[in-house]
Amino acid sequence: MKKINTIQKKIIEEFKILDQDFEMTLNYLMELGDKVPPIKEKYKIEENIIKGCQSQVWLTYKLNNNGFTFSGDSNTEITKGLLSLLIRIYSDCSPKEIIDSNLFFIEEIGLNRFIGTQRSNGLKSMKNKFKIFALSNI
Amino acid sequence: MKKINTIQKKIIEEFKILDQDFEMTLNYLMELGDKVPPIKEKYKIEENIIKGCQSQVWLTYKLNNNGFTFSGDSNTEITKGLLSLLIRIYSDCSPKEIIDSNLFFIEEIGLNRFIGTQRSNGLKSMKNKFKIFALSNI
Amino acid sequence: MSKPLNIDRLRKEFPILKTKINNNNLVYFDNAATTQKPIKVINALDYYYKNINSNIHRGIHSLAEIATKEFEKTRSIVKKFINAKNEEEIIFTRGTTEGINLVANCYPKKYLKENDEIIISEMEHHSNIVPWQMICKEKKLKLKVIEINKKGELDLNSFKSLITDKTKFVSLVHISNSLGTINPIKKIISICRDNDIKILIDGAQASPHININVQELDCDFYVLSAHKMYGPTGVGVMYGKSKLLNEMPPYMGGGEMIKNVTFNKTTYNDIPYKFEAGTPNIGDVIAFKEAINFINEIGKENIQNYEKDLKNYTLEKLQNIDGLKLVGDAKNRIGVFSFTIENTHYYDLGLLLDAKGIAVRTGHHCTQPIMDKFNIEGTTRMSLAIYNSIEEIDYFIESLKKIINK
Amino acid sequence: MSKPLNIDRLRKEFPILKTKINNNNLVYFDNAATTQKPIKVINALDYYYKNINSNIHRGIHSLAEIATKEFEKTRSIVKKFINAKNEEEIIFTRGTTEGINLVANCYPKKYLKENDEIIISEMEHHSNIVPWQMICKEKKLKLKVIEINKKGELDLNSFKSLITDKTKFVSLVHISNSLGTINPIKKIISICRDNDIKILIDGAQASPHININVQELDCDFYVLSAHKMYGPTGVGVMYGKSKLLNEMPPYMGGGEMIKNVTFNKTTYNDIPYKFEAGTPNIGDVIAFKEAINFINEIGKENIQNYEKDLKNYTLEKLQNIDGLKLVGDAKNRIGVFSFTIENTHYYDLGLLLDAKGIAVRTGHHCTQPIMDKFNIEGTTRMSLAIYNSIEEIDYFIESLKKIINK
Ligand SMILES: Cc1ncc(COP(=O)(O)O)c(C=O)c1O
Ligand SMILES: Cc1ncc(COP(=O)(O)O)c(C=O)c1O
């Protein structure tokens, strides 16, 4: 829990220089996305998919005593960048920590628009996928 | 034709003192309606009916060498008043005179609202009934 | 809890009330047909088209995002307004009529078979009669009709006696638009529950006046029209329990309501979208939110209290007019008064009142069966809303007397 | 004849064009999804609700009279706009989708029988696919699909080869919303006439851009959406030849569409009212009139000339961008451009353009079968309207290049 909040605060700090400028934020997210290693084709199965209206995301995990290790991918760079933030926040957490967590960094770095509407609900359904994985391992 | 226009002009003259005041006009129409003798029940048949949305009108005629004699009735006083004006205008006319006629008194005495819309089309359908009778006697 | 009603200030929120009709102040008593709109609804429309107009749901650009959020906000506010369980149970339609047609079309397709029975009542609006007649003809179902008594109240014994083991659906008006009667729908719904019957409530007249709580009522469907509750024309709501909505086939096909389209196989979207084919009435749905805000800010309790005073006042005055006969005399009623006047046709009366600036409705009010029941052709109907005042009622009564005594 | 186009003055008529998006001027290129509205449309809505709001047709008081006249005036102006023979052939709907659903529902009920065939094309919007799939399933009809070629044009030989003596109906888009292709509908209608086939034309994209003359075309049905032609959301038109409309059964039941209701027998109203059940979207229908006035004042010829210049300019610029691939390359087209960019997903591109204030649409544009045909998931679509300027196109092209070359 504490760890989750600490990383969120770090992310908020890192995004500060972007000053909520939408274009710079997008470009930064794409840079982050670029660094995410693609996942193997064999993980791109129904079970791991998060279907958005326009972008697709795959998320898979390993769980051992140190907590979760996630890897993920997306067909769009910006979504991959968003995903990488969630992976960073939730990595090494226990199922319970994820379930109890509360994401507050989204509003603070001006990414509201990625959770707002029901259809283009990228961030929201990604977040839910993490929680589903956590819930099924408790 | 000339006669039809003469009477219309007379009607316009008579309505002038009402100054297009809607309430006074309605009351005057009701007075006119009051003077129309009711028609016999036997004439209240499908052939003679003019169905409005809210009011019903019956119109019947005789035709001889001097032209038409009309008699009519309605279940509402205001409509009966309107009808009486048309009867006055078209009485003693030949079928051809009625067919060729052009009613201009309506606008001039502020009765537009009785012809405007498709549903509460009292005056319009009444006028049409006169023309139908004229057409079927030519 | 809620502020006391300041009628003068409230009236100022309705720009149209300053209009002159035939040189008189407009006195608008045609509220059961449609209500007038407060300035915040009108301004919301203006704002939408000047600042955020965009097609919704599928777009990712800023305007599309903003418009989508505003649109879905209305869904969320409607959900709270009628206390639905989920937002997905709120379907936007053009109005009550479309809502009933949707249910009359889709529900029987999934659940009913030949000879099954549907029950409506004698006091229904044509919109809650004709769709059922059409589907009954098409699917060979039977339509039965609950009788009403002389006072214009539902006969509950008549209702019970109609129920057989083939009875599968009831569609009933919450408040009658020509009699003002408030039906005991809680009791009726519980009878339906006991007999495994689904029920739709036509809330067109109820929604602006009384509290609506679909979970407490436990009705299966509830429909209403925005334009009758201070909102814009062209918007309505069809509430349905999500289980039923999930199982029912869609109504219209098109954009929005699909998940995947190929020529071999098309899969439909989840609710509510499954029932919202095509570009919706975006601007008006967004502005509708402000109508509900308007109602919420006054508070349903305040509305009910104020309107009850107006109703009682009007009722007493009308009952004292010689030659005036009220049609419908239910104990539990709202301020909708249908009446006839001896020797004066409603058409003449309507026009004479209009000359004095007073708007009432005349005719059969889309409830011909009621007119047949009472053996009349039509009535003059005077119906109240929250912005009406005692002064307006006095003026109306006075005008009525003048016309009658002429 | 018509005044030369003053684009600066014209742009001033659209208040939303002054909006800032992410600190940039809004550049609105999502016109195929919905167009922006000129001030006269917005003001007409405002005027309606502030001065004449009332339920129409059945009322006799002044407001009802005025609102009814204004409502019917729109019908008359639409009639002239598409050159229908009679006003009764103009049915108001919520939009194109409802219009197609209406025809797909009511026409087969009257005229088609098991195994009869309906033809659509590969380039249809979902709204012109799904309703036909639904009715074909319900009534056991067969749905056939005209192929398109690599350029995104209809294959007329494919069409002819599909026709059998069981072919009874064709439903076809006038202008494709994702490819911009203008279909040779005159030729197709004449083939239909030769084979005794009825035809519906989906004019959602055509109505704001090119001249429409239903009598000259001799189509049986023509549908359009007000919101795609500078009018408000929530209004559409379904034109049908009066003979067919008279013979077809009604779509929805309710108020307005009946003549007489009893529990034994209900008789329907005459057209157009037979197809307009319930309170219509009065305010928006009345304001829609001003959208047509706006188009008429500029003149379709001027619109076509100006838009042709914009289209050619854009086409040339787009063709010169490395890595950009146009989807659809029809000879006869309007300014709707779908494209893909090598190594850049349309979702990323759409957001990056939005950051620069540019609104485009991304995805499958409700035409999944076209995407399948071209073996892509979706495109970025830029679509033009009368208020777009050369400067906006330059800014868009420049922005596009910057994003691609990053
Ligand atoms: C009780 C009732 N039901 C249904 C309707 C139909 O509503 P709408 O015309 O908004 O579809 C009305 C409106 O007159 C009504 O009063
Ligand atoms: C060609 C075409 N047909 C039908 C439609 C559906 O129109 P509406 O959503 O207004 O019902 C559209 C709109 O996207 C379209 O472009």
Side-chain angles (χ1 to χ4, degrees), chain C residues 30 33 35-36 42 46 49 53 55 61-62 94 98 101 127 133 233 253 255 261-262 266 281 283-284 354 368, chain D residues 30 33 35-36 42 46 49 53 55 61-62 94 98 101 127 133 233 253 255 261-262 266 281 283-284 354 368:
Chain C
D30 193 17
T35 54
Q36 297 304 336
I42 305 174
D46 198 68
Y49 286 117
N53 172 62
N55 213 327
H61 60 76
S62 293
R94 178 171 44 238
E98 190 185 7
N101 276 275
S127 291
Q133 289 180 322
T233 53
V261 173
T262 69
T266 290
N281 186 353
D284 289 320
D354 183 53
Q368 283 187 348
Chain D
D30 192 18
T35 54
Q36 299 303 337
I42 305 173
D46 199 70
Y49 286 117
N53 171 63
N55 213 326
H61 60 75
S62 293
R94 179 172 41 241
E98 190 186 5
N101 276 276
S127 291
Q133 289 180 321
T233 53
V261 173
T262 69
T266 289
N281 186 353
D284 289 320
D354 182 53
Q368 283 187 349

Short mmCIF file of all heavy atoms in Angstrom, two decimals, chain C residues 30 33 35-36 42 46 49 53 55 61-62 94 98 101 127 133 233 253 255 261-262 266 281 283-284 354 368, chain D residues 30 33 35-36 42 46 49 53 55 61-62 94 98 101 127 133 233 253 255 261-262 266 281 283-284 354 368:
data_model
loop_
_atom_site.label_atom_id
_atom_site.label_comp_id
_atom_site.label_asym_id
_atom_site.label_seq_id
_atom_site.Cartn_x
_atom_site.Cartn_y
_atom_site.Cartn_z
N ASP C 30 -51.72 24.21 -19.94
CA ASP C 30 -51.71 23.03 -20.81
C ASP C 30 -50.51 22.16 -20.46
O ASP C 30 -49.83 21.59 -21.33
CB ASP C 30 -51.67 23.48 -22.28
CG ASP C 30 -51.96 22.33 -23.23
OD1 ASP C 30 -52.50 21.30 -22.78
OD2 ASP C 30 -51.64 22.47 -24.43
N ALA C 33 -49.91 18.46 -21.53
CA ALA C 33 -49.49 18.24 -22.92
C ALA C 33 -47.98 18.41 -23.04
O ALA C 33 -47.28 17.56 -23.59
CB ALA C 33 -50.21 19.19 -23.86
N THR C 35 -44.72 20.82 -20.73
CA THR C 35 -44.43 21.90 -19.79
C THR C 35 -43.52 22.93 -20.45
O THR C 35 -42.87 22.65 -21.45
CB THR C 35 -43.69 21.37 -18.56
OG1 THR C 35 -42.54 20.65 -19.00
CG2 THR C 35 -44.57 20.47 -17.74
N GLN C 36 -43.46 24.10 -19.85
CA GLN C 36 -42.51 25.11 -20.30
C GLN C 36 -41.13 24.80 -19.72
O GLN C 36 -41.00 23.94 -18.85
CB GLN C 36 -43.01 26.50 -19.90
CG GLN C 36 -44.34 26.85 -20.57
CD GLN C 36 -44.28 26.76 -22.09
OE1 GLN C 36 -43.21 26.87 -22.71
NE2 GLN C 36 -45.43 26.53 -22.72
N ILE C 42 -32.75 25.93 -21.39
CA ILE C 42 -32.56 26.63 -22.67
C ILE C 42 -31.08 27.02 -22.83
O ILE C 42 -30.50 26.86 -23.91
CB ILE C 42 -33.47 27.89 -22.73
CG1 ILE C 42 -34.94 27.48 -22.48
CG2 ILE C 42 -33.31 28.62 -24.05
CD1 ILE C 42 -35.91 28.65 -22.36
N ASP C 46 -28.11 26.03 -25.69
CA ASP C 46 -27.31 27.08 -26.32
C ASP C 46 -25.82 26.81 -26.12
O ASP C 46 -25.02 26.87 -27.06
CB ASP C 46 -27.72 28.40 -25.67
CG ASP C 46 -27.32 29.59 -26.51
OD1 ASP C 46 -27.90 29.76 -27.59
OD2 ASP C 46 -26.41 30.33 -26.08
N TYR C 49 -24.44 23.77 -28.25
CA TYR C 49 -24.19 24.00 -29.68
C TYR C 49 -23.12 25.05 -29.94
O TYR C 49 -22.49 25.05 -30.97
CB TYR C 49 -25.49 24.37 -30.40
CG TYR C 49 -26.40 23.18 -30.60
CD1 TYR C 49 -27.66 23.12 -30.01
CD2 TYR C 49 -25.99 22.08 -31.36
CE1 TYR C 49 -28.49 22.02 -30.18
CE2 TYR C 49 -26.81 20.98 -31.54
CZ TYR C 49 -28.06 20.95 -30.95
OH TYR C 49 -28.87 19.86 -31.13
N ASN C 53 -20.53 20.87 -29.23
CA ASN C 53 -21.24 19.95 -30.11
C ASN C 53 -20.31 18.96 -30.81
O ASN C 53 -19.32 19.35 -31.44
CB ASN C 53 -22.00 20.74 -31.18
CG ASN C 53 -22.59 19.84 -32.25
OD1 ASN C 53 -23.42 19.00 -31.95
ND2 ASN C 53 -22.12 19.99 -33.48
N ASN C 55 -20.29 14.45 -32.21
CA ASN C 55 -20.90 13.13 -32.09
C ASN C 55 -20.18 12.35 -30.99
O ASN C 55 -18.99 12.56 -30.75
CB ASN C 55 -20.87 12.37 -33.41
CG ASN C 55 -22.09 11.47 -33.56
OD1 ASN C 55 -22.61 10.94 -32.57
ND2 ASN C 55 -22.56 11.29 -34.76
N HIS C 61 -11.39 12.69 -29.99
CA HIS C 61 -10.94 14.08 -29.87
C HIS C 61 -11.68 14.78 -28.72
O HIS C 61 -12.67 14.26 -28.20
CB HIS C 61 -11.07 14.83 -31.20
CG HIS C 61 -12.46 14.89 -31.76
ND1 HIS C 61 -13.41 15.74 -31.26
CD2 HIS C 61 -13.06 14.22 -32.77
CE1 HIS C 61 -14.53 15.60 -31.97
NE2 HIS C 61 -14.35 14.67 -32.88
N SER C 62 -11.16 15.92 -28.32
CA SER C 62 -11.64 16.58 -27.10
C SER C 62 -13.14 16.85 -27.09
O SER C 62 -13.83 16.58 -26.10
CB SER C 62 -10.90 17.90 -26.89
OG SER C 62 -9.55 17.65 -26.62
N ARG C 94 -37.03 8.76 -27.72
CA ARG C 94 -37.56 10.07 -28.10
C ARG C 94 -38.61 10.53 -27.10
O ARG C 94 -38.85 11.73 -26.93
CB ARG C 94 -38.18 10.01 -29.50
CG ARG C 94 -38.80 11.34 -29.93
CD ARG C 94 -39.20 11.35 -31.39
NE ARG C 94 -39.87 10.12 -31.72
CZ ARG C 94 -39.47 9.29 -32.67
NH1 ARG C 94 -38.43 9.59 -33.41
NH2 ARG C 94 -40.11 8.16 -32.91
N GLU C 98 -42.12 6.16 -27.67
CA GLU C 98 -41.11 5.25 -28.20
C GLU C 98 -40.73 4.20 -27.15
O GLU C 98 -40.51 3.04 -27.48
CB GLU C 98 -39.85 6.00 -28.66
CG GLU C 98 -38.92 5.05 -29.42
CD GLU C 98 -37.58 5.67 -29.82
OE1 GLU C 98 -37.29 6.81 -29.42
OE2 GLU C 98 -36.83 4.98 -30.53
N ASN C 101 -43.36 1.53 -27.20
CA ASN C 101 -43.22 0.73 -28.42
C ASN C 101 -42.02 -0.20 -28.35
O ASN C 101 -42.09 -1.34 -28.82
CB ASN C 101 -43.10 1.65 -29.65
CG ASN C 101 -44.45 2.10 -30.16
OD1 ASN C 101 -45.10 1.40 -30.93
ND2 ASN C 101 -44.90 3.27 -29.71
N SER C 127 -50.96 6.02 -26.55
CA SER C 127 -49.59 5.48 -26.67
C SER C 127 -49.40 4.21 -25.85
O SER C 127 -48.44 3.47 -26.07
CB SER C 127 -48.58 6.53 -26.20
OG SER C 127 -48.54 7.59 -27.13
N GLN C 133 -52.06 -3.22 -29.08
CA GLN C 133 -52.98 -3.76 -30.09
C GLN C 133 -52.20 -4.30 -31.29
O GLN C 133 -52.50 -5.36 -31.82
CB GLN C 133 -53.96 -2.67 -30.56
CG GLN C 133 -54.99 -2.29 -29.51
CD GLN C 133 -55.94 -1.20 -30.00
OE1 GLN C 133 -55.54 -0.28 -30.72
NE2 GLN C 133 -57.20 -1.29 -29.60
N THR C 233 -38.03 18.86 -25.91
CA THR C 233 -38.76 17.87 -26.70
C THR C 233 -37.77 16.90 -27.35
O THR C 233 -36.62 17.25 -27.58
CB THR C 233 -39.59 18.55 -27.81
OG1 THR C 233 -38.74 19.41 -28.58
CG2 THR C 233 -40.71 19.37 -27.23
N GLY C 253 -31.70 -1.45 -35.37
CA GLY C 253 -30.31 -1.80 -35.68
C GLY C 253 -29.57 -0.60 -36.21
O GLY C 253 -30.17 0.30 -36.77
N GLY C 255 -25.68 2.00 -36.05
CA GLY C 255 -24.48 2.40 -35.34
C GLY C 255 -24.75 2.37 -33.85
O GLY C 255 -25.90 2.36 -33.40
N VAL C 261 -19.75 -6.18 -36.65
CA VAL C 261 -20.62 -6.39 -37.80
C VAL C 261 -19.84 -7.09 -38.92
O VAL C 261 -18.81 -6.58 -39.37
CB VAL C 261 -21.19 -5.07 -38.35
CG1 VAL C 261 -21.96 -5.29 -39.64
CG2 VAL C 261 -22.08 -4.41 -37.32
N THR C 262 -20.31 -8.24 -39.32
CA THR C 262 -19.87 -8.81 -40.59
C THR C 262 -21.15 -9.26 -41.27
O THR C 262 -22.21 -9.29 -40.66
CB THR C 262 -18.95 -10.04 -40.41
OG1 THR C 262 -19.73 -11.11 -39.90
CG2 THR C 262 -17.80 -9.74 -39.46
N THR C 266 -23.48 -10.65 -36.78
CA THR C 266 -23.39 -9.38 -36.09
C THR C 266 -23.65 -9.62 -34.61
O THR C 266 -24.60 -10.30 -34.26
CB THR C 266 -24.41 -8.39 -36.68
OG1 THR C 266 -23.98 -8.03 -37.99
CG2 THR C 266 -24.54 -7.15 -35.84
N ASN C 281 -30.17 11.91 -29.65
CA ASN C 281 -30.51 13.33 -29.60
C ASN C 281 -29.58 13.99 -28.57
O ASN C 281 -29.99 14.38 -27.47
CB ASN C 281 -31.97 13.47 -29.19
CG ASN C 281 -32.44 14.90 -29.25
OD1 ASN C 281 -31.65 15.81 -29.46
ND2 ASN C 281 -33.72 15.09 -29.04
N GLY C 283 -27.81 16.86 -28.03
CA GLY C 283 -28.00 18.18 -27.43
C GLY C 283 -29.12 18.18 -26.40
O GLY C 283 -28.96 18.71 -25.29
N ASP C 284 -30.23 17.57 -26.74
CA ASP C 284 -31.37 17.60 -25.84
C ASP C 284 -31.17 16.69 -24.63
O ASP C 284 -31.64 17.00 -23.54
CB ASP C 284 -32.64 17.19 -26.58
CG ASP C 284 -33.09 18.26 -27.57
OD1 ASP C 284 -32.99 19.46 -27.21
OD2 ASP C 284 -33.51 17.93 -28.67
N ASP C 354 -58.55 31.22 -24.88
CA ASP C 354 -57.32 31.65 -25.55
C ASP C 354 -57.35 33.15 -25.82
O ASP C 354 -56.33 33.84 -25.72
CB ASP C 354 -57.15 30.87 -26.85
CG ASP C 354 -55.85 31.23 -27.56
OD1 ASP C 354 -54.78 31.14 -26.92
OD2 ASP C 354 -55.89 31.60 -28.75
N GLN C 368 -59.39 8.34 -26.11
CA GLN C 368 -60.76 8.15 -26.59
C GLN C 368 -61.55 7.14 -25.76
O GLN C 368 -62.74 7.38 -25.48
CB GLN C 368 -60.75 7.74 -28.07
CG GLN C 368 -60.47 8.92 -28.98
CD GLN C 368 -60.62 8.58 -30.46
OE1 GLN C 368 -60.73 7.42 -30.83
NE2 GLN C 368 -60.62 9.59 -31.30
N ASP D 30 -14.27 16.67 -38.35
CA ASP D 30 -15.04 15.47 -38.07
C ASP D 30 -16.47 15.65 -38.57
O ASP D 30 -17.45 15.25 -37.94
CB ASP D 30 -15.02 15.20 -36.55
CG ASP D 30 -15.55 13.81 -36.21
OD1 ASP D 30 -15.61 12.96 -37.12
OD2 ASP D 30 -15.90 13.58 -35.04
N ALA D 33 -19.12 12.87 -39.10
CA ALA D 33 -19.78 12.36 -37.88
C ALA D 33 -20.94 13.27 -37.51
O ALA D 33 -22.06 12.81 -37.28
CB ALA D 33 -18.79 12.26 -36.73
N THR D 35 -21.98 17.78 -38.15
CA THR D 35 -21.50 19.11 -38.50
C THR D 35 -21.77 20.08 -37.36
O THR D 35 -22.59 19.81 -36.48
CB THR D 35 -22.24 19.65 -39.73
OG1 THR D 35 -23.63 19.56 -39.47
CG2 THR D 35 -21.89 18.84 -40.97
N GLN D 36 -21.09 21.19 -37.37
CA GLN D 36 -21.38 22.27 -36.42
C GLN D 36 -22.60 23.05 -36.90
O GLN D 36 -23.08 22.84 -38.01
CB GLN D 36 -20.15 23.17 -36.26
CG GLN D 36 -18.95 22.40 -35.70
CD GLN D 36 -19.25 21.72 -34.37
OE1 GLN D 36 -20.16 22.12 -33.64
NE2 GLN D 36 -18.52 20.65 -34.06
N ILE D 42 -29.12 27.78 -33.79
CA ILE D 42 -29.06 27.87 -32.33
C ILE D 42 -30.09 28.88 -31.82
O ILE D 42 -30.81 28.63 -30.86
CB ILE D 42 -27.63 28.25 -31.88
CG1 ILE D 42 -26.61 27.25 -32.47
CG2 ILE D 42 -27.53 28.30 -30.36
CD1 ILE D 42 -25.15 27.62 -32.22
N ASP D 46 -33.46 28.62 -29.28
CA ASP D 46 -33.63 29.55 -28.17
C ASP D 46 -34.97 30.26 -28.27
O ASP D 46 -35.73 30.35 -27.30
CB ASP D 46 -32.48 30.56 -28.25
CG ASP D 46 -32.26 31.28 -26.95
OD1 ASP D 46 -31.80 30.63 -26.00
OD2 ASP D 46 -32.56 32.49 -26.88
N TYR D 49 -38.05 27.92 -27.43
CA TYR D 49 -38.34 27.63 -26.02
C TYR D 49 -38.67 28.88 -25.21
O TYR D 49 -39.33 28.79 -24.18
CB TYR D 49 -37.17 26.88 -25.39
CG TYR D 49 -37.10 25.44 -25.84
CD1 TYR D 49 -36.01 24.94 -26.55
CD2 TYR D 49 -38.14 24.56 -25.56
CE1 TYR D 49 -35.95 23.61 -26.97
CE2 TYR D 49 -38.10 23.23 -25.98
CZ TYR D 49 -37.00 22.77 -26.67
OH TYR D 49 -36.97 21.46 -27.08
N ASN D 53 -43.02 27.58 -27.25
CA ASN D 53 -43.06 26.15 -26.93
C ASN D 53 -44.46 25.68 -26.59
O ASN D 53 -45.14 26.24 -25.74
CB ASN D 53 -42.14 25.87 -25.74
CG ASN D 53 -42.30 24.45 -25.25
OD1 ASN D 53 -42.02 23.50 -25.97
ND2 ASN D 53 -42.78 24.30 -24.01
N ASN D 55 -47.16 21.84 -27.22
CA ASN D 55 -47.37 20.60 -27.96
C ASN D 55 -48.25 20.91 -29.17
O ASN D 55 -49.06 21.83 -29.14
CB ASN D 55 -48.00 19.52 -27.08
CG ASN D 55 -47.51 18.14 -27.49
OD1 ASN D 55 -47.27 17.90 -28.68
ND2 ASN D 55 -47.35 17.25 -26.55
N HIS D 61 -55.14 26.41 -28.73
CA HIS D 61 -54.74 27.71 -28.20
C HIS D 61 -53.60 28.29 -29.03
O HIS D 61 -52.98 27.60 -29.84
CB HIS D 61 -54.40 27.62 -26.70
CG HIS D 61 -53.29 26.68 -26.36
ND1 HIS D 61 -51.97 26.97 -26.59
CD2 HIS D 61 -53.31 25.45 -25.79
CE1 HIS D 61 -51.23 25.95 -26.17
NE2 HIS D 61 -52.02 25.02 -25.68
N SER D 62 -53.31 29.57 -28.84
CA SER D 62 -52.41 30.29 -29.73
C SER D 62 -51.03 29.66 -29.84
O SER D 62 -50.49 29.50 -30.93
CB SER D 62 -52.25 31.74 -29.26
OG SER D 62 -53.47 32.42 -29.43
N ARG D 94 -35.89 10.38 -35.88
CA ARG D 94 -34.78 10.86 -35.07
C ARG D 94 -33.52 11.04 -35.90
O ARG D 94 -32.64 11.82 -35.57
CB ARG D 94 -34.49 9.89 -33.93
CG ARG D 94 -33.30 10.34 -33.06
CD ARG D 94 -33.13 9.49 -31.81
NE ARG D 94 -33.33 8.10 -32.10
CZ ARG D 94 -34.28 7.36 -31.55
NH1 ARG D 94 -35.07 7.87 -30.63
NH2 ARG D 94 -34.43 6.11 -31.89
N GLU D 98 -33.11 5.70 -37.69
CA GLU D 98 -34.52 5.39 -37.47
C GLU D 98 -35.26 5.29 -38.80
O GLU D 98 -36.13 4.43 -38.97
CB GLU D 98 -35.20 6.42 -36.56
CG GLU D 98 -36.59 5.93 -36.16
CD GLU D 98 -37.42 6.95 -35.36
OE1 GLU D 98 -36.96 8.09 -35.18
OE2 GLU D 98 -38.52 6.58 -34.96
N ASN D 101 -34.59 1.88 -40.24
CA ASN D 101 -35.30 0.87 -39.45
C ASN D 101 -36.80 0.88 -39.74
O ASN D 101 -37.43 -0.17 -39.80
CB ASN D 101 -35.06 1.09 -37.95
CG ASN D 101 -33.76 0.45 -37.48
OD1 ASN D 101 -33.72 -0.73 -37.17
ND2 ASN D 101 -32.68 1.23 -37.45
N SER D 127 -25.77 1.21 -39.95
CA SER D 127 -27.20 1.52 -39.90
C SER D 127 -27.95 1.05 -41.13
O SER D 127 -29.17 0.95 -41.12
CB SER D 127 -27.40 3.03 -39.73
OG SER D 127 -26.98 3.43 -38.45
N GLN D 133 -30.29 -7.13 -41.69
CA GLN D 133 -29.98 -8.45 -41.14
C GLN D 133 -31.08 -8.91 -40.19
O GLN D 133 -31.50 -10.06 -40.20
CB GLN D 133 -28.63 -8.40 -40.39
CG GLN D 133 -27.43 -8.24 -41.30
CD GLN D 133 -26.10 -8.20 -40.54
OE1 GLN D 133 -26.04 -7.60 -39.46
NE2 GLN D 133 -25.06 -8.79 -41.09
N THR D 233 -29.25 17.87 -33.41
CA THR D 233 -29.32 16.42 -33.22
C THR D 233 -30.75 16.01 -32.90
O THR D 233 -31.53 16.81 -32.39
CB THR D 233 -28.42 15.99 -32.05
OG1 THR D 233 -28.75 16.76 -30.88
CG2 THR D 233 -26.95 16.21 -32.37
N GLY D 253 -46.95 2.75 -32.58
CA GLY D 253 -48.31 3.14 -32.28
C GLY D 253 -48.34 4.18 -31.19
O GLY D 253 -47.44 4.24 -30.37
N GLY D 255 -50.11 8.28 -29.71
CA GLY D 255 -50.78 9.52 -30.03
C GLY D 255 -50.37 9.98 -31.42
O GLY D 255 -49.35 9.55 -31.95
N VAL D 261 -59.55 5.40 -31.80
CA VAL D 261 -59.11 4.28 -30.98
C VAL D 261 -60.28 3.74 -30.17
O VAL D 261 -60.92 4.47 -29.42
CB VAL D 261 -57.99 4.70 -30.00
CG1 VAL D 261 -57.67 3.56 -29.05
CG2 VAL D 261 -56.75 5.12 -30.76
N THR D 262 -60.60 2.48 -30.35
CA THR D 262 -61.45 1.77 -29.40
C THR D 262 -60.73 0.45 -29.14
O THR D 262 -59.78 0.11 -29.85
CB THR D 262 -62.86 1.47 -29.95
OG1 THR D 262 -62.74 0.48 -30.98
CG2 THR D 262 -63.51 2.71 -30.50
N THR D 266 -58.96 0.06 -34.07
CA THR D 266 -58.25 1.32 -34.15
C THR D 266 -57.97 1.62 -35.61
O THR D 266 -57.52 0.75 -36.35
CB THR D 266 -56.93 1.22 -33.35
OG1 THR D 266 -57.25 1.18 -31.95
CG2 THR D 266 -56.02 2.38 -33.61
N ASN D 281 -40.05 15.62 -31.91
CA ASN D 281 -39.00 16.50 -31.41
C ASN D 281 -39.26 17.91 -31.93
O ASN D 281 -38.56 18.42 -32.81
CB ASN D 281 -37.65 15.96 -31.90
CG ASN D 281 -36.48 16.71 -31.32
OD1 ASN D 281 -36.67 17.73 -30.64
ND2 ASN D 281 -35.29 16.24 -31.58
N GLY D 283 -39.06 21.18 -30.97
CA GLY D 283 -38.10 22.28 -30.99
C GLY D 283 -37.05 22.09 -32.08
O GLY D 283 -36.74 23.02 -32.83
N ASP D 284 -36.50 20.90 -32.16
CA ASP D 284 -35.43 20.67 -33.13
C ASP D 284 -35.94 20.63 -34.57
O ASP D 284 -35.23 21.05 -35.48
CB ASP D 284 -34.71 19.36 -32.79
CG ASP D 284 -33.87 19.49 -31.52
OD1 ASP D 284 -33.25 20.55 -31.34
OD2 ASP D 284 -33.85 18.55 -30.71
N ASP D 354 -5.41 15.87 -31.89
CA ASP D 354 -6.28 16.57 -30.94
C ASP D 354 -5.47 17.53 -30.07
O ASP D 354 -5.92 18.63 -29.75
CB ASP D 354 -7.03 15.56 -30.07
CG ASP D 354 -7.99 16.24 -29.11
OD1 ASP D 354 -8.82 17.05 -29.57
OD2 ASP D 354 -7.91 15.97 -27.89
N GLN D 368 -17.50 -1.59 -40.50
CA GLN D 368 -16.54 -2.68 -40.34
C GLN D 368 -16.33 -3.50 -41.61
O GLN D 368 -15.20 -3.86 -41.92
CB GLN D 368 -16.98 -3.58 -39.19
CG GLN D 368 -16.66 -2.97 -37.82
CD GLN D 368 -16.95 -3.94 -36.67
OE1 GLN D 368 -17.57 -4.98 -36.85
NE2 GLN D 368 -16.48 -3.59 -35.49
#
